Amino acid sequence: EAYETITVERKGRAALLTLNRPQALNALNLQVMEDVVAAVEALDRDPGCGCIVITGSAKAFAAGADIKEMHPQGYLDMYLSDWFTAWDRLGQARTPTVAAVSGYALGGGCELAMLCDILIAADTAVFGQPEIKLGVIPGIGGSQRLTRAIGKAKAMDLCLTGRTMDAAEAERAGLVSRVVPADELLGEALAVAGTVAAMSLPTAMMAKEAVGRAFETTLAEGVRFERRLFHAVFATADQKEGMSAFIDKRPPDFHHR
Ligand code: HXC
């Protein structure tokens, strides 16, 4: 399928979605939102896809929402079009997602990365929520997801001063799970995606759902939710396969069912 602002390639059971608006450092305009959401939803419906990597260019994962597109809008324009709300559908994908971030991940770019499940950064990555410098605030969940990811101290610092943080600080703060040399970023992200995609897809979906629930509920409810899913995985053939493979001392061959 052809998209205007992104490319999508299949890599075995993984998929690679690359933002492709180099003239604007991958600024996220409405077309990019539409393309990314449509592509992710199509991959999410495909049981042949077990993990989706989202990446940008070496210089910019995405330098934010498109400032030129937003500049003329008024309150009613934003409210009636429900600006940015479609991005929520990315977070609702059940297939695991990996953000592979090189260069600028600012504003909406940082928020897009945080909408993904695993965040891998190149040592060149720069994260921030600099919206305040434009007289606005984060609008794709940044104030919430950044705070949950790195805590109040750094989230307030970043959102109020607009300063950026480098990959090392982002890793220390817990925003990203791994930092790799820039030229190894895509290889590492695709290897991670390949690993995830080789797991039982329904089990990976349930693992994702269970971890995600931690951000939405109390500990007691979350543990109850996990317990229900844990019991449910025993309905899959892949549970028998995974445990048989361990007992037989061989690698598992999951059939995603
Ligand atoms: C639209 C953008 C853009 C953006 C860059 N460009 N970021 N266009 N929206 N967010 C465009 C520039 O206008 C320029 O176009 C081209 O991309 C190259 O950018 P330069 O600025 O020339 O590159 P450089 O000097 O290397 O600086 C890179 C940069 C800078 C530091 C990342 O571009 C920058 O500060 N960008 C804005 C970052 C930001 O504030 N993001 C948050 C946006 S608000 P031309 O045509 O001049 O070549 C947001 C949240 C919205 O994301 C929520 C509130 C509603």
Side-chain angles (χ1 to χ4, degrees):
E1 187 155 350
Y3 298 98
E4 227 176 276
T5 63
I6 63 173
T7 60
V8 180
E9 297 161 72
R10 297 301 291 268
K11 306 273 185 184
R13 285 187 49 78
L16 176 63
L17 191 164
T18 306
L19 303 175
N20 186 26
R21 268 194 92 204
Q23 72 283 7
L25 301 183
N26 292 328
L28 307 169
N29 63 11
L30 296 181
Q31 188 64 49
V32 176
M33 176 173 75
E34 208 173 280
D35 287 351
V36 170
V37 168
V40 167
E41 287 187 335
L43 292 166
D44 199 34
R45 283 191 296 270
D46 178 357
C49 176
C51 192
I52 303 164
V53 176
I54 300 182
T55 197
S57 67
K59 179 170 178 182
F61 177 72
D66 193 306
I67 297 165
K68 293 165 191 170
E69 189 179 53
M70 290 184 291
H71 173 247
Q73 310 295 331
Y75 168 73
L76 272 182
D77 305 315
M78 300 301 267
Y79 180 79
L80 291 174
S81 66
D82 210 2
W83 204 272
F84 290 154
T85 292
W87 281 115
D88 294 350
R89 285 154 53 197
L90 173 56
Q92 285 157 11
R94 300 204 299 165
T95 309
T97 52
V98 176
V101 176
S102 175
Y104 298 113
L106 301 178
C110 187
E111 293 170 304
L112 169 57
M114 291 190 295
L115 273 165
C116 296
D117 302 315
I118 299 178
L119 219 163
I120 302 177
D123 52 11
T124 58
V126 177
F127 297 92
Q129 299 289 161
E131 288 89 347
I132 196 156
K133 296 203 272 181
L134 301 166
V136 296
I137 69 169
I140 315 176
S143 65
Q144 305 304 299
R145 291 195 180 87
L146 188 68
T147 307
R148 281 166 165 76
I150 70 176
K152 174 182 167 179
K154 276 185 190 286
M156 282 288 192
D157 183 349
L158 292 171
C159 290
L160 288 174
T161 69
R163 81 164 173 92
T164 58
M165 62 180 173
D166 64 15
E169 184 179 0
E171 189 182 28
R172 278 199 308 279
L175 181 62
V176 310
S177 63
R178 311 178 189 202
V179 177
V180 297
D183 58 355
E184 292 169 24
L185 176 67
L186 212 51
E188 178 82 1
L190 289 171
V192 168
T195 299
V196 173
M199 304 301 177
S200 170
L201 178 59
T203 306
M205 285 174 165
M206 289 189 213
K208 166 174 173 160
E209 207 182 346
V211 174
R213 192 56 70 98
F215 294 96
E216 291 175 3
T217 191
T218 62
L219 179 62
E221 278 306 321
V223 169
R224 267 192 286 276
F225 182 74
E226 179 199 75
R227 187 78 21 83
R228 291 288 174 254
L229 290 179
F230 172 70
H231 294 159
V233 293
F234 284 78
T236 65
D238 285 337
Q239 173 266 326
K240 292 290 173 290
E241 168 58 15
M243 291 191 170
S244 298
F246 175 82
I247 292 163
D248 299 348
K249 301 186 190 296
R250 60 173 175 82
D253 179 17
F254 292 124
H255 286 86
H256 315 293
R257 44 196 289 171

